[in-house]
Amino acid sequence: MRVTNVRVGKLFGIFDHTIQMAMDDRITIIHAPNGFGKTTLLRMLNGLFNGRISELEQVPFDFFDVDLEDGLSLSVRRPGNKKDKTEADFPLGAIDDIIPFLTRIGEANWRDTESGEELSFGDVMSRYEHMLPFRSSRQKTPQWLKKVTSQVKVRFVESQRLVRQSRTTKSRAYNATGVEPAVAFYSEQIAKEINRRLGEYAELSQSLDQTFPMRLVDHLSKEKRESLSAADLQDRLSKLDAKRRRLRDAGLLEKEDTSFNPPPALQELAQQVLPLYIADVEKKLGVFAAVVQKVELLKKVVSERFKYKTVTIDREKGITFEANGKPLSPTTLSSGEQHMLVLWSELIFMIDQNAMVLIDEPEISLHVAWQQDFLRELSLLTKLSNFDVLIATHSPQIINDRWDLTLELQGPPWPQ
């Protein structure tokens, strides 16, 4: 289910914004001066569809409406002058003890020592409630709302994206504070995706190999069985070799000496037997059809921009680099390179079909030329992976020549 329109009334008591999504182009860009609510709108959408109600609780507004493509609308209204008691009876001091990278700077405010960001109680609950052994007394999301919002997959790519909250013992080895470099996380996730596909490949191979003798006998016993001409057989075998080479180059298969040509004496038999073998191999290699495109796209995006570095993707380490023939960890890349790698790894590997992706300030740390290429490549990806994007940006270089995709958020007339 796709979002078609977003409306908010009296955001911060001031702004009335309407965002009509570009349904055909699938990319919508909002821009405005600082303080007009671009990032806040992204957070509100993320909060609504991912059950993070505190993202809405902490923001002053009169109404927040989201229209969906099937005619359904979600409408959020804030009760008039009702004091938020989310923090009541909650052991605020425990947050300091349990989440070591948060430092208390006020009665109910913290500073993230890794990012420098100041967080309210609602921000902390929204991001880190899963780390606490107890929960706030916040009202639970009704089941009917969960059912509706679960049909819209929303992914928020925040402006602070170079570190992530660690969720495994392995990742905590990077930093005692419980955060990890995002490039390390994505490298691990890509390796997991490759290994998942390899597991499917092995399982399918075992099934097909076990039944091959029986299916071959059945195939040969048919009076009208499939038989290829010598030229067609050679063409099909050559295409299989090309598919294997492509998968090896992408790091999805190890090199195997599988090429062969039937000897002349067995040519006629091969033309009857090998069609079944070819069909099996095509099924096996088909497991990698989607992931090979993703790997190739990520390698292309990175290789065209990272000068003097060679990128490799494999099943064990995920993303690795070499510079001047020496291995280079992704964590030693420059800030701009890490931002580029994290952003595109997220977009290529982590987004579901028909999802809505919220990207806050994609221009951060990126060279001007990289910014100018961003929308062109993102447009290709949205068509490949079939998702919608809402971008908040200050950068005319990100917009480049696509002002037709933009919407300027405006405020009421400023008193002279």
Side-chain angles (χ1 to χ4, degrees), residues 170-183:
K170 179 180 177 182
S171 62
R172 283 178 178 270
Y174 286 105
N175 195 317
T177 62
V179 296
E180 63 178 321
V183 288

Side-chain angles (χ1 to χ4, degrees), residues 155-173:
R155 190 92 179 187
F156 187 19
V157 184
E158 301 188 58
S159 58
Q160 204 311 93
R161 45 184 171 262
L162 292 193
V163 294
R164 293 178 57 95
Q165 178 60 41
S166 302
R167 297 193 178 186
T168 65
T169 303
K170 179 180 177 182
S171 62
R172 283 178 178 270

Side-chain angles (χ1 to χ4, degrees), residues 46-66:
N46 183 54
L48 177 62
F49 289 103
N50 285 315
R52 299 183 175 186
I53 303 303
S54 64
E55 299 284 11
L56 302 175
E57 290 174 339
Q58 302 300 312
V59 179
F61 64 89
D62 283 356
F63 68 85
F64 179 50
D65 296 340
V66 180

Side-chain angles (χ1 to χ4, degrees), residues 212 219 226-242 244 258-282:
F212 184 79
H219 173 73
E226 181 184 5
S227 179
L228 296 174
S229 67
D232 287 342
L233 178 61
Q234 186 58 49
D235 180 62
R236 294 277 294 275
L237 290 172
S238 296
K239 288 179 179 178
L240 281 184
D241 286 341
R244 290 192 184 98
T258 53
S259 299
F260 72 97
N261 289 308
L266 298 177
Q267 185 66 45
E268 184 177 347
L269 179 61
Q271 290 171 216
Q272 300 179 44
V273 172
L274 291 184
L276 188 62
Y277 160 79
I278 291 171
D280 280 8
V281 175
E282 288 174 340

Side-chain angles (χ1 to χ4, degrees), residues 64-81:
F64 179 50
D65 296 340
V66 180
D67 298 335
L68 306 177
E69 64 179 343
D70 64 352
L72 182 68
S73 292
L74 293 174
S75 185
V76 182
R77 296 291 185 271
R78 179 179 290 283
N81 299 321

Side-chain angles (χ1 to χ4, degrees), residues 162 164 170-171 174 180-190 317-319 329-331 338 341-342:
L162 292 193
R164 293 178 57 95
K170 179 180 177 182
S171 62
Y174 286 105
E180 63 178 321
V183 288
F185 167 81
Y186 285 105
S187 184
E188 183 180 339
Q189 294 305 305
I190 290 171
K317 298 179 181 179
I319 309 170
S329 169
T331 58
Q338 288 193 44
L341 186 58
V342 165

Side-chain angles (χ1 to χ4, degrees), residues 29 39 69 83 91 100 113 124 129 136 151 161 230 304 322 327 412:
I29 304 170
T39 299
E69 64 179 343
K83 187 177 180 181
T113 57
V124 173
E129 189 173 16
S136 70
Q151 298 179 58
R161 45 184 171 262
E304 288 178 353
E322 280 191 2

